[in-house]
Amino acid sequence: MSSETSGLYERIYSIVRQIPYGKVASYGQIALMVEGSAPRIVGYAMAAVTPESGVPWHRVINSRGEISKRFGGTGDADQKALLESEGITFNEKNRIDMKKYGWIAPEFLLQSP
DNA sequence: AGATTGACTGCAT
DNA sequence: CATGCAGCCAATC
């Protein structure tokens, strides 16, 4: 990673940090809040995130309300455990009820270029 | 500089 | 509701 980012990652992390406890947001939702980004970029930013950044990446899931599986990783299991520890429940299909836990971002959080 | 990939999404089948 | 295809943009090879 370059010595200095274009700020895109920081913006994404900033949004993810706004997700309150017990709520979840989708990659596309975040991508819509960050101008100049795309669902792929959000996913890439989450892959590059580190525990030290203090970003609750486990609260970021795909539009289906399910945890995305990554390359040969077992992180998906940890993510599920973290979400359950926050009071979020999964249904039989291992999916989250977005109607109940879906995070609605306030307007003032939206970026206006 | 061009091609490939990736923790995705939405619509069509 | 599951599967397939196209669109999306940055990072990596």
Side-chain angles (χ1 to χ4, degrees):
Chain A
M1 178 171 196
S2 306
S3 48
E4 182 174 327
T5 64
S6 48
L8 182 57
Y9 279 53
E10 289 187 20
R11 276 178 248 178
I12 295 173
Y13 298 155
S14 200
I15 297 296
V16 177
R17 282 199 206 90
Q18 307 313 307
I19 305 177
Y21 183 95
K23 296 267 186 163
V24 294
S26 67
Y27 294 92
Q29 190 173 347
I30 295 168
L32 288 171
M33 287 185 278
V34 182
E35 184 63 26
S37 72
R40 294 278 190 187
I41 308 306
V42 176
Y44 209 94
M46 293 295 97
V49 83
T50 53
E52 294 83 50
S53 31
V55 177
W57 59 272
H58 54 271
R59 291 184 188 141
V60 184
I61 57 181
N62 62 23
S63 63
R64 291 179 178 175
E66 233 250 334
I67 298 173
S68 302
K69 285 214 267 211
R70 51 206 152 277
F71 178 74
T74 49
D76 55 323
D78 276 350
Q79 183 166 11
K80 183 177 177 232
L82 283 165
L83 291 171
E84 287 180 325
S85 81
E86 295 196 352
I88 298 174
T89 57
F90 288 73
N91 59 22
E92 313 82 46
K93 296 272 200 314
N94 219 36
R95 290 211 252 186
I96 296 173
D97 183 358
M98 297 297 285
K99 295 279 235 199
K100 189 175 180 185
Y101 300 108
W103 174 53
I104 307 220
E107 279 187 47
F108 61 80
L109 199 56
L110 300 175
Q111 299 198 352
S112 333

